[in-house]
Amino acid sequence: MLITGIAAAMLAAPIVSASVPASTAHAAAAVSTSSYKEAVKQGDILAKVLAAYQKAISSGDIEAISNKYDGFTKQVSIVEKSIGKVYGASKRAAFLAKYITPAKVEKSRTMYEVSQFRFLNKILDRLYAEEEYETYDSDMAKFERLAVRTAEVKKAGGFKPLPASVTADLRMGEAIAAGVNLSIYEYTVQYSIDSEADLYTADAFYDDMNRYLKQTEIKIGHVSGRTNRTELLKEFVSPAKSTSQRIKYEIEQLRLLDTVYDLAEAGLKEEANAEFSKLEGLKVKAAEIKKAGGFKALPKGVYTELVAYEKELKDILAEF
């Protein structure tokens, strides 16, 4: 059988060697050498960055750790990419063991504390700017969940503990955030009373102020050092307690009058009169507290509002 056309031409052609051309082999070797050198270069940079990061960890200064964290983790990423370009699985494994593994141990060891520190700063920034402070509850709840997660990860991973000062600083920051938030509510209540004689606005913020007062006391209780706790209590808790006690019985009078009004509106005469009879006792208690505690007298406008409200209710009850 005759072989013609393309088949014949293929048979007639000289056999080409299957081996890689020398020029291609040299190029591949050059790329391999270049990748290896780059991995070594970046790995050595990481080793220096890691040493500086470990020094920050040893200092126990969470702010210093946070300041170095991004540069450190960026270099880890750079080295990982460099190693990925190195030819040979055994070489890549050796690079990973030498450079990446120790770096990732320190990253995992500190990443949750850095997250806590930064989130606390975010909360404080909002509070100091008095912007969206209504998000404090959800923000603090997120922070508390993060703190719990940190403890879980540390326990499961068996990481070497960080210096005690790191946790101490975080607890201090948490207490300060709670205290600043409390101060916003305390100031609102105090300003409503002393500058505007507005018991109604004070009433609207009063319960939250007392709720944050208790929360702040608890968080301060977790702060290390008696002196630190004493200073925090003096700065944040004492003013709020004073304001709370100073207007407590006027707030109770206002709320009692609201209750009487609601009962009267519902046509419950006996219940309304029974509640109304408690008013004098609250007035006496208010006077006693003011005298015993040496509290600054409330503006006359506060009592003018209460007296007017009381008179209105007397008229309503008299019509039954």
Side-chain angles (χ1 to χ4, degrees), residues 236-291:
F236 298 118
V237 172
S238 296
K241 278 189 173 181
S242 178
T243 297
S244 178
Q245 287 296 316
R246 181 183 172 220
I247 66 169
K248 176 180 179 180
Y249 289 98
E250 283 75 16
I251 293 289
E252 289 191 12
Q253 288 177 59
L254 176 62
R255 293 180 178 182
L256 177 65
L257 293 172
D258 282 340
T259 299
V260 173
Y261 182 86
D262 290 340
L263 291 170
E265 282 285 291
L268 301 173
K269 179 181 179 180
E270 291 184 5
E271 290 85 345
N273 278 305
E275 289 298 312
F276 194 71
S277 66
K278 300 176 183 178
L279 182 61
E280 289 304 316
L282 287 178
K283 289 180 182 180
V284 171
K285 191 66 177 175
E288 292 174 347
I289 289 294
K290 297 289 190 303
K291 183 178 180 180

Side-chain angles (χ1 to χ4, degrees), residues 1 31 36 39 43 48 62 67 90 96 117 119 154 168 178 240 260 280 285 305 311:
M1 179 183 293
V31 170
Y36 185 91
K48 294 178 181 178
I62 184 59
N67 288 341
S90 61
L96 290 171
F117 176 74
F119 196 69
K154 291 304 171 67
V260 173
E280 289 304 316
K285 191 66 177 175
E305 289 290 329
K311 184 178 183 304

Side-chain angles (χ1 to χ4, degrees), residues 106-150:
E106 298 298 353
K107 177 183 177 182
S108 297
R109 184 183 171 210
T110 56
M111 62 187 295
Y112 283 96
E113 283 80 3
V114 170
S115 294
Q116 286 185 63
F117 176 74
R118 293 179 177 182
F119 196 69
L120 275 177
N121 282 333
K122 179 181 178 181
I123 293 174
L124 283 166
D125 286 344
R126 286 182 175 180
L127 291 172
Y128 284 130
E130 295 188 18
E131 296 175 356
E132 301 180 16
Y133 64 85
E134 294 88 350
T135 66
Y136 172 82
D137 283 334
S138 60
D139 284 345
M140 186 54 74
K142 290 177 184 177
F143 175 82
E144 290 169 351
R145 289 194 296 271
L146 181 58
V148 171
R149 179 61 179 157
T150 301

Side-chain angles (χ1 to χ4, degrees), residues 181-190 202 204-216 239-245 247:
N181 179 66
L182 170 60
S183 293
I184 291 173
Y185 281 83
E186 189 276 329
Y187 175 79
T188 301
V189 171
Q190 182 269 329
F205 285 86
Y206 186 77
D207 288 341
D208 277 334
M209 180 185 71
N210 284 320
R211 175 167 64 89
Y212 291 129
L213 173 57
K214 293 177 182 178
Q215 182 188 102
T216 302
K241 278 189 173 181
S242 178
T243 297
S244 178
Q245 287 296 316
I247 66 169

